[in-house]
Amino acid sequence: KRSSPSPGGGGGGGGGEDRLTIIYSHGNAEDIGLNLPFVDALSHVADCDVLSYEYVGYSLSRLDGDDPSESGCVRSIDAAWRYLVVDRKIPAHRIVLFGRSIGTGPTVDLASRSEVEGLRRPDGDDSDDSDYDYADAVSPLNARGVLLQSPIESGARAVFGNAISVVGYPLDIFRNYTKMHRVSSPVAIVHGTDDEVVPWGNGRALHSKCRRPYAPLWIEGRGHNDMPEGDVLEYAGNFVEMLREGGPDGPYKLDGDI
């Protein structure tokens, strides 16, 4: 976790009352230690706090000896969300979700849901305030924004294409293409046009399903693991700045307006 967010969202730039926090979900064959330099740079460029978490079954996160799985990734991002909205008391509208590669699976899953299992009303919350809606404050549907880098339509579609994903639907994982229409937050997508691991078509297809798309960044000639970090960070910083300037309720400069 970089630049630990203080209760109530205090901290440096971005305005104390509207300090944003990013939940970063890393790619496959990675862990949070490997991604610390990127997380540190992301925090600096976007002027946000960043919470980076580990998936159950990855690296040192071996809860009950569990192997990596879709359900384990979803459980892990749910725990990260509960930590921010309950323990740190950061409302949903001050949280941005950022997923890379397979990390876009739990990211889209969370952003498409109205509730997270296991949420409890925190002690001392302002439940008697008529202007305070606890359900809205903790609902992932009210996340400030969603940023996807090299996203997968689904596990099968990323590897085999659409036909196999239809035939093997019950076995397919991270079916983002069935969830994007439920994401109500602004969505930004960056993808390399020469990606052979997760073909560019995955990013384009998800962009076409966004309800509130931000202008995408298609990086010519780049693949899955050679995306220019500076360009990705600049795009992320611009997206977050747009969200910050628009405030919790917008309006935002989305695709076609910038």
Side-chain angles (χ1 to χ4, degrees), residues 18-125:
D18 198 33
R19 175 79 172 171
L20 301 183
T21 296
I22 296 172
I23 297 180
Y24 181 72
S25 302
H26 65 70
N28 197 27
E30 301 174 0
D31 62 21
I32 56 177
L34 186 64
N35 283 285
L36 276 177
F38 178 80
V39 168
D40 188 68
L42 177 63
S43 176
H44 176 73
V45 171
D47 196 16
C48 293
D49 297 313
V50 179
L51 174 64
S52 182
Y53 67 99
E54 194 56 271
Y55 309 129
V56 169
Y58 280 65
S59 188
L60 300 178
S61 182
R62 292 283 178 177
L63 180 64
D64 299 327
D66 285 352
D67 292 324
S69 66
E70 178 180 20
S71 62
C73 291
V74 171
R75 286 166 53 200
S76 300
I77 198 171
D78 282 2
W81 182 265
R82 286 194 297 270
Y83 171 74
L84 290 185
V85 301
V86 176
D87 296 338
R88 308 305 295 186
K89 298 182 180 179
I90 299 174
H93 70 258
R94 295 218 308 269
I95 300 174
V96 178
L97 305 176
F98 185 169
R100 175 185 179 273
S101 188
I102 199 171
T104 64
T107 297
V108 171
D109 185 85
L110 177 63
S112 69
R113 287 185 277 130
S114 61
E115 298 179 347
V116 168
E117 184 178 357
L119 275 178
R120 58 177 173 80
R121 187 181 294 274
D123 295 335
D125 80 329

Side-chain angles (χ1 to χ4, degrees), residues 108 112 141 176-184 206 209-212:
V108 171
S112 69
L141 288 179
N176 288 339
Y177 68 94
T178 69
K179 304 171 185 177
M180 283 301 300
H181 69 283
R182 296 198 297 270
V183 177
S184 57
L206 292 179
K209 295 178 183 294
C210 291
R211 290 165 55 183
R212 304 175 71 190

